[in-house]
Amino acid sequence: MKWVRNVTAAAEKVAAGLRPASKFYGFLWEIRDELFADGFEEELMATYEPRGQEPCPPALLAMVLLLQRYDGLSDADAVDAAENDRRWQLVLSTLGDDKAPFGQGTLVRFRLRMIANDLDKKLVERTIEIAKRSKKFGWKKLRVALDSSPFHGQGRVEDTWNLIGRAMSKVVHAISVAVGIDEEDVIKQARLTALSGDSVKASIDIDWDDEGAQVAALQRLLEEVSMLESWIEKRAKQSASEPPLKDALSLLHRVIDQDIEPDPSGGGKQRLREGVAEDRVVSINDPEIRHGRKSRSQLFDGYKRHVAISHEFILATALRPANDAEHVVTEQLFDAAAQHGKVTTIDIDRGYLASPFLVELHQDGVVINSRPWVRPNQGKFTKYDFKIDLRRRLITCPAGNTSPILESFQVRFAKSDCSVCELKSQCTESVARNVVLHPLEERLIQLRISAKTSTGREVLRQRVAVEHMLARVAALQGNTARYRGVRKNELDLNRTAAIINLMGIARHRAA
């Protein structure tokens, strides 16, 4: 079903009467046909299921998602705005209608369709295609900047005891859905005393300062996990191989495997794992959030949102769990940005330097700008105290000993030289007396030299534009996730990017 923009006298009157703070609604009304042109509306319509079309045009729903993010509204509030806000009715061509053309469930289903077909990413691309038509910027050669910011998750972060308890509760709920047995009956039949209270710790009710009591309680909790699995084996074995029970059991097993280990004292007992498992699940409500670092001292739980910008427009976004390093998305962001022009320069944060993809870009002639890595070594020599000759593939230590650079980018110094060296106390204490170079070492050397000059520092300061853009993203989207899961929140980030790009187009057209 196509969406027809009604240009009526009533609509023009409402548009003309918008106050300055509401002018963006008028711009959305004017640009609507352009935004959904060039086959984009047909792509949205193609996502409809073969069994029939819903009466609400998909392009209208896509505009609702934009309006919803612009005003920061929930699904329920979006329905209310469509019924009572004349600005919304202007954009949606529903002036005078008493009832919204969509419901909350319609928005939920439409978001899932957008995600399944990556149409939220296409929405960002459409805004760039419109921006390129302005002819105010050159798009043949692009200078692209990448950066990321913390994005706090919505799920509750809990300790091991409550993680196991909530994972067990999730399994019980999945049993109820799959088999049709009341949750309370499952708890009674499987004798799950740990799930009888408001929380696992409340149900266990021990002196938490007593280590012996903790050990005994952990064994009992794990026994109840086994009892739950035995109940499933007898009563719901077939359902255990299919969602949702299969997924709930998988999550329970993952939580136990990551946080529990055999007690080295023996006796077949288990104990809480010492240290933190890699890629540890920290929330049952949102199993995709992770522990992350904003800095060495600042921790957060959730995701990292990434943007790639050029000409003050967002070309691409990515959203990943907080423990994923920046360099994981470098190639993805670059490729998305390169769809809009040839990228000749890329300004990045140091975190992106670890991407092997940057080696390819450097070899292709792309200029890579970044602050060089600084690795303090507690007063001892660092790699930067060595003389590196990449042309001759030699490296000389501060004491004057020279060694060749191997194909693996490693340099090994002879033990015979190091053992009698007068500077040994200032060097590494490691048995392996190696220096490891980066595949981009040539560029890193240039960056270290450049960072010491005023011209070089001025070049690095140009990356501030992407930091300002992330601040605008945070102002519009907030710093806490609205949804649970990476992909749903990435959709939210993409519609935020689309709104920011449209606001930029509106400014340039008004200038």
Side-chain angles (χ1 to χ4, degrees):
M1 177 183 293
K2 275 190 169 290
W3 187 28
V4 180
R5 184 168 75 100
N6 295 329
V7 185
T8 62
E12 290 179 335
K13 182 178 179 180
V14 171
L18 290 173
R19 296 180 181 276
S22 296
K23 287 295 183 182
F24 186 62
Y25 296 95
F27 174 75
L28 290 179
W29 175 65
E30 293 172 358
I31 203 173
R32 201 182 76 184
D33 290 344
E34 190 176 355
L35 181 61
F36 296 106
D38 301 329
F40 185 37
E41 185 169 12
E42 285 70 23
E43 287 188 60
L44 291 167
M45 292 171 61
T47 66
Y48 273 45
E49 299 174 7
R51 62 188 179 191
Q53 292 183 340
E54 296 179 16
C56 193
L60 182 149
L61 293 174
M63 183 63 81
V64 169
L65 295 191
L66 294 177
L67 287 168
Q68 191 179 17
R69 168 42 61 210
Y70 181 68
D71 284 335
L73 301 183
S74 66
D75 290 347
D77 289 336
V79 174
D80 182 70
E83 292 177 347
N84 299 295
D85 191 327
R86 287 201 308 167
R87 299 170 304 178
W88 273 56
Q89 292 180 345
L90 169 68
V91 178
L92 302 179
S93 290
T94 59
L95 279 172
D97 291 357
D98 296 329
K99 187 173 178 59
F102 58 89
Q104 295 181 54
T106 305
L107 294 179
V108 173
R109 292 189 295 273
F110 184 71
R111 282 195 295 270
L112 293 177
R113 291 197 193 111
M114 291 278 285
I115 289 171
N117 295 275
D118 285 340
L119 291 175
D120 54 318
K121 299 176 183 180
K122 176 70 175 183
L123 188 58
V124 178
E125 293 173 11
R126 286 291 303 140
T127 62
I128 299 302
E129 289 166 10
I130 294 172
K132 291 168 75 170
R133 293 172 188 166
S134 68
K135 307 297 184 183
K136 293 187 178 182
F137 309 100
W139 292 88
K140 291 184 178 179
K141 294 182 179 181
L142 297 180
R143 180 172 191 150
V144 174
L146 312 183
D147 205 357
S148 67
S149 65
F151 195 48
H152 299 274
Q154 190 185 80
R156 181 190 300 177
V157 177
E158 297 176 300
D159 61 16
T160 299
W161 298 88
N162 285 317
L163 281 176
I164 294 175
R166 287 191 178 275
M168 290 173 67
S169 296
K170 196 176 185 71
V171 170
V172 170
H173 177 71
I175 292 171
S176 177
V177 172
V179 185
I181 301 177
D182 188 77
E183 293 182 32
E184 290 297 326
D185 291 338
V186 176
I187 292 172
K188 290 178 182 178
Q189 292 174 20
R191 292 177 294 139
L192 307 179
T193 59
L195 303 185
S196 60
D198 294 333
S199 69
V200 168
K201 286 189 171 181
S203 299
I204 293 174
D205 191 25
I206 62 171
D207 178 2
W208 292 96
D209 293 326
D210 185 337
E211 291 187 10
Q214 284 192 46
V215 171
L218 180 60
Q219 311 315 310
R220 175 58 187 170
L221 179 59
L222 295 176
E223 286 175 11
E224 293 200 9
V225 171
S226 297
M227 291 159 59
L228 176 58
E229 291 177 326
S230 296
W231 189 96
I232 293 171
E233 180 70 21
K234 294 176 182 178
R235 309 285 185 87
K237 184 176 181 178
Q238 184 175 351
S239 299
S241 61
E242 300 174 354
L245 183 52
K246 177 182 177 181
D247 297 336
L249 280 169
S250 177
L251 180 59
L252 173 60
H253 294 156
R254 180 170 181 177
V255 168
I256 293 174
D257 290 343
Q258 72 181 17
D259 286 0
I260 304 297
E261 65 182 5
D263 192 325
S265 62
K269 293 183 178 180
Q270 304 288 304
R271 70 174 187 181
L272 298 181
R273 180 188 292 271
E274 293 186 359
V276 180
E278 185 179 357
D279 202 34
R280 180 175 181 265
V281 173
V282 298
S283 172
I284 299 300
N285 300 92
D286 187 352
E288 294 187 50
I289 69 172
R290 294 291 185 270
H291 293 314
R293 287 184 178 274
K294 184 177 181 181
S295 65
R296 289 186 178 182
S297 59
Q298 284 186 287
L299 305 178
F300 71 99
D301 299 304
Y303 309 94
K304 285 181 184 175
R305 56 187 168 195
H306 304 255
V307 297
I309 75 162
S310 186
H311 298 313
E312 297 186 354
F313 288 97
I314 300 176
L315 307 186
T317 73
L319 189 132
R320 299 296 303 157
N323 65 332
D324 274 6
E326 277 79 1
H327 72 265
V328 171
V329 298
T330 304
E331 185 172 1
Q332 172 189 336
L333 290 172
F334 180 90
D335 288 346
Q339 294 181 20
H340 303 290
K342 181 177 175 58
V343 179
T344 58
T345 303
I346 183 168
D347 299 306
I348 56 177
D349 184 75
R350 282 186 288 232
Y352 297 95
L353 280 172
S355 171
F357 179 65
L358 290 179
V359 178
E360 297 179 31
L361 296 186
H362 182 61
Q363 293 172 345
D364 290 341
V366 176
V367 177
I368 299 169
N369 291 323
S370 172
R371 295 187 183 280
W373 273 317
V374 177
R375 296 187 183 277
N377 198 25
Q378 299 173 335
K380 295 183 181 295
F381 292 135
T382 69
K383 178 174 65 177
Y384 311 132
D385 295 308
F386 290 66
K387 295 180 181 178
I388 302 171
D389 187 339
L390 293 174
R391 185 180 62 82
R392 298 168 59 200
R393 297 191 67 80
L394 295 173
I395 184 169
T396 304
C397 77
N401 295 312
T402 299
S403 188
I405 300 172
L406 305 178
E407 290 298 323
S408 61
F409 293 99
Q410 290 191 8
V411 180
R412 299 189 179 96
F413 286 92
K415 291 182 180 180
S416 57
D417 291 334
C418 296
S419 61
V420 297
C421 181
E422 295 181 355
L423 301 178
K424 182 178 179 181
S425 62
Q426 296 175 253
C427 202
T428 179
E429 297 175 358
S430 172
V431 176
R433 316 190 71 77
N434 296 346
V435 175
V436 180
L437 303 183
H438 192 281
L440 282 173
E441 196 66 49
E442 178 186 6
R443 181 55 182 159
L444 294 179
I445 291 172
Q446 294 171 353
L447 290 172
R448 284 196 291 273
I449 296 172
S450 178
K452 296 178 181 179
T453 68
S454 59
T455 302
R457 290 191 291 270
E458 183 180 352
V459 170
L460 292 176
R461 282 195 294 270
Q462 294 186 39
R463 201 181 67 85
V464 74
V466 71
E467 296 173 354
H468 291 167
M469 183 62 76
L470 280 171
R472 294 180 63 191
V473 169
L476 188 58
Q477 188 185 25
N479 287 315
T480 300
R482 175 178 286 273
Y483 305 107
R484 294 172 182 168
V486 168
R487 193 60 185 89
K488 289 181 181 178
N489 283 303
E490 190 176 49
L491 175 142
D492 194 34
L493 175 58
N494 281 325
R495 65 176 174 178
T496 301
I499 284 288
I500 290 174
N501 287 346
L502 288 170
M503 293 171 73
I505 294 168
R507 286 195 303 272
H508 289 297
R509 289 191 176 182

